[in-house]
Amino acid sequence: MSIHWADRIAEECLEKGKNVIATGITPSGEIHIGNMREVLTGDMIYKALLDLGGEAEFLYIADTFDPLRRLYPFLPESYKEYVGQPLYRIPDPFGCHESYSEHFLDPFLKSLEILDVHPKIYRSHELYKKGLYEDAVRIAIENRDKIAEILESESKRKVSQNWSPYTPLCANCGKINGTEVISVDGYYVKYRCNCGHEGRSDIRKDEGKLGWRIDWPARWRILNVTIEPFGKDHATVGGSYDTGKRVAREIYEYEPPYPVVYEWISLKGHDMSSSKGIVVSIYDVLKAVPPEALRYLIASSRPNKHLNFDPGLSILKLINNLSMLDEKEPLSARELRFSRIEGKAMRIKVPFEHMVNVVQISKGDLQKSKEILARGGYHLDDDELKEWSEYAINWLKNYAPESVKFSVQETIPESALSLDKDLKEGLKRISERLSDELSGEDIHNIIYQAAEDVGITVSRLFEAIYIALLDKKSGPRAGLFIKTVGIDFVKRRFKEVADA
Ligand SMILES: [Zn+2]
Ligand SMILES: [Zn+2]
């Protein structure tokens, strides 16, 4: 019997005593669906530990102290001057938040709430500002040569003569990527910047930071991290986990955390790592997709499995699979547990395809949607109805493929008037046999029978049905669809088309 991946990791780590799971993302741009894997993976391990009766803490560290690396396409030309400055010190390019980093963090933190993920949140610049890095920076500077040797032997890359594990923030130009350390005196690091400025930074404040490969292991010790999910880019041979492990053990005398390496999520075949590819923000996706479904996407695959995410048709499949999980089957029960939003029942009462059809027929009118759903035997309370209509409407607007979109024509479409005689005869026969008691399946059989009676292929008759109702050659499965649109309406329409 297979065990859920989060439970297996939790079991392996339980003996460590209290576990601290750390996740982190640099808020340098829209935080996308690919980044979600990091926090959701951490959250599921956290919940698995608690389920086992373990003690655990879950952290999310926003790398607000990282510099802006380049002028991203969404930035105005004037932001060139901020390249190299820490994100939390750069103004919000959109003018709505207190800083660049807060602009991207804010919707992400809101998304975490919706996803029922509640880590303790840190901003990296604040950790420095509070002096938490004081020892780590001092130790790194004292062990500069040993660290350089670790980096060189692991990454096989030469470290430059004037390299320092610590980079001061220039007090003149505000950049953190152009300074060179001249000397160290107690808490103070003297530097020279590319801009010509010479100054001194205090290691007990946010006046400089450790380079990533040292910052990471330093952070493990500062926050007592025991488990950390990270992208495969950090897991390469000689990559930052390899060097981090040695820096942790040999410099900070700290046992590195249990690594949980995760694969990328690609969007319709495009890799979605943080630095390239199409960006679909989590916040936007959550307007069209219930959070349970996104949690299920992560819960149902091992972290090392590459995921293809297509916010179009994948979503339909995902929601359907989720609603079909069997609680009696142990692995499914755990997937359900990790997909669940605390305090909410698993509410997937209506197949999403059906909901998508319903809102298109009702044109978003809630009362009409309610009636149409009732015809199919689905009863939602008002809150559920509103929530699911919004998902369906937003999904149609932003992600749905053209093939599932339609609009029921209020009057006979022009194209239906010129249908062949035998097709009109087929529609007439369907019209005569339709009645309210019929199920979708019954209607389906009537269509086959009508095609046979008239001597036409059923695929041509299906086409005629969609043309008469939607003014297009294809549409949702016809039996249930006719019932959903309304028997009276369809009877009348088919008769009108036959008589035209
Ligand atoms: Zn903003
Ligand atoms: Zn400078």
Side-chain angles (χ1 to χ4, degrees), residues 27 36 188 327 391 395 418 493:
M36 184 188 69
Y188 301 100
E327 196 129 18
Y391 286 138
W395 182 76
S418 53
R493 171 63 52 85

Side-chain angles (χ1 to χ4, degrees), residues 216-454:
W216 201 21
R219 184 185 289 182
W220 293 339
R221 194 183 74 155
I222 292 167
L223 301 172
N224 302 309
V225 179
T226 61
I227 302 175
E228 181 146 347
F230 51 87
K232 63 171 181 178
D233 53 338
H234 296 309
T236 51
V237 175
S240 48
Y241 186 69
D242 274 359
T243 55
K245 256 190 318 200
R246 286 194 56 194
V247 172
R249 287 187 182 128
E250 296 168 37
I251 308 296
Y252 291 125
E253 292 170 345
Y254 185 81
E255 189 51 28
Y258 180 101
V260 182
V261 180
Y262 61 85
E263 256 285 353
W264 304 139
I265 299 180
S266 16
L267 187 70
K268 284 183 181 167
H270 299 270
D271 258 359
M272 217 178 348
S273 62
S274 353
S275 54
K276 58 179 177 180
I278 299 178
V279 168
V280 176
S281 90
I282 303 181
Y283 194 61
D284 287 340
V285 171
L286 280 170
K287 288 177 188 155
V289 178
E292 292 91 332
L294 285 190
R295 291 192 63 99
Y296 176 59
L297 173 75
I298 303 303
S300 58
S301 310
R302 289 168 193 279
N304 63 3
K305 192 178 163 234
H306 185 106
L307 289 179
N308 276 307
F309 180 78
D310 159 10
L313 290 176
S314 302
I315 288 300
L316 291 182
K317 219 174 115 198
L318 202 61
I319 297 176
N320 281 348
N321 289 350
L322 177 57
S323 63
M324 286 185 310
L325 286 181
D326 177 5
E327 196 129 18
K328 290 189 206 81
E329 202 274 300
L331 189 60
S332 299
R334 294 305 283 162
E335 286 176 355
L336 268 173
R337 187 262 179 271
F338 292 123
S339 305
R340 186 164 287 137
I341 303 296
E342 196 63 37
K344 280 189 173 177
M346 289 303 284
R347 317 146 298 161
I348 301 177
K349 295 183 185 166
V350 186
F352 200 57
E353 290 109 308
H354 188 57
M355 197 68 215
V356 162
N357 293 341
V358 169
V359 298
Q360 294 188 88
I361 295 167
S362 73
K363 302 206 162 37
D365 183 302
L366 288 178
Q367 190 50 41
K368 270 192 198 148
S369 293
K370 197 169 188 165
E371 289 162 21
I372 297 167
L373 282 165
R375 257 182 246 155
Y378 297 109
H379 301 280
L380 299 184
D381 68 37
D382 288 349
D383 288 343
E384 288 171 324
L385 179 67
K386 193 163 170 284
E387 195 177 356
W388 282 83
S389 310
E390 273 170 25
Y391 286 138
I393 289 167
N394 287 326
W395 182 76
L396 280 162
K397 195 167 76 186
N398 297 322
Y399 306 115
E402 282 308 311
S403 61
V404 306
K405 292 186 194 171
F406 63 80
S407 152
V408 176
Q409 304 295 301
E410 307 284 345
T411 55
I412 300 184
E414 200 71 31
S415 55
L417 299 176
S418 53
L419 282 173
D420 291 346
K421 257 213 167 82
D422 51 357
L423 293 173
K424 286 182 174 175
E425 179 59 24
L427 292 178
K428 191 174 156 204
R429 294 200 182 205
I430 298 170
S431 168
E432 285 163 1
R433 291 179 201 171
L434 286 177
S435 67
D436 282 328
E437 319 77 65
L438 299 173
S439 68
E441 174 107 26
D442 296 334
I443 297 172
H444 196 70
N445 293 334
I446 286 174
I447 298 168
Y448 273 82
Q449 191 58 53
E452 202 182 314
D453 292 349
V454 183

Side-chain angles (χ1 to χ4, degrees), residues 92-100 102-104 106:
D92 179 355
F94 303 90
C96 37
H97 294 83
E98 68 177 56
S99 68
Y100 185 112
E102 288 307 310
H103 178 83
F104 295 109
D106 180 45

Side-chain angles (χ1 to χ4, degrees), residues 170-175 178-179 191 193-197:
C170 174
N172 177 49
C173 68
K175 298 195 176 186
T179 52
Y191 64 84
C193 180
N194 282 343
C195 74
H197 181 73

